[in-house]
């Protein structure tokens, strides 16, 4: 019963709805290949819930996708930013497979 009380408390936190809404906005923008919009939405969600592993790997994913459509130094910069967010994800939750997958993708693109 204690776990459920904690879950209810977390869901009742003022920023939770805002973070969830920004995540949904980011996911929609990502699906539409509007990567800059996705990154902006995910950044807002991260500001509300700092250290959220799911948000961190989604930011990394969006930067990698953005890098795929950029040229030259801009491309590599996106991959380096993706690496930073994926590393943060893994530090926050080392069991998060998506964090590891996007870290590997970032490193592979940088190499």
């Amino acid at each position: 019963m204690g776990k459920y009380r904690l879950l209810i408390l977390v869901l009742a936190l003022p920023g939770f709805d805002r973070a969830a809404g920004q995540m949904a906005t980011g996911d929609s923008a990502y699906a539409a290949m509007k990567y800059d919009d996705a990154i902006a939405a995910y950044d807002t969600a991260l500001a509300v819930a700092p250290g959220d592993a799911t948000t961190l790997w989604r930011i990394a994913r969006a930067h990698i996708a953005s890098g795929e459509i950029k040229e030259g130094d801009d491309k590599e910069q996106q991959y380096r930013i993706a690496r930073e967010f994926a590393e943060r994800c893994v530090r926050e939750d080392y069991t998060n497979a998506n964090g590891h997958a996007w870290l590997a993708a970032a490193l592979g693109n940088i190499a």
Side-chain angles (χ1 to χ4, degrees), residues 4 12 23 37 40 44 49 87 93 95-96 98 104 106 111:
Y4 296 110
M23 290 289 284
D37 293 345
T44 301
E87 286 175 340
D93 180 4
T95 67
N96 189 305
N98 286 312

Side-chain angles (χ1 to χ4, degrees), residues 1-55:
M1 189 62 150
K3 285 192 270 186
Y4 296 110
R5 285 186 192 146
L6 179 60
L7 177 61
I8 291 168
L9 285 173
V10 168
L11 294 176
L13 291 172
F16 184 80
D17 286 340
R18 184 165 179 237
Q22 289 300 314
M23 290 289 284
T25 299
D27 290 344
S28 294
Y30 181 86
M33 298 176 64
K34 296 179 179 178
Y35 304 124
D36 291 338
D37 293 345
I39 290 165
Y42 294 144
D43 283 343
T44 301
L46 192 62
V48 174
D52 179 66
T54 299
T55 306

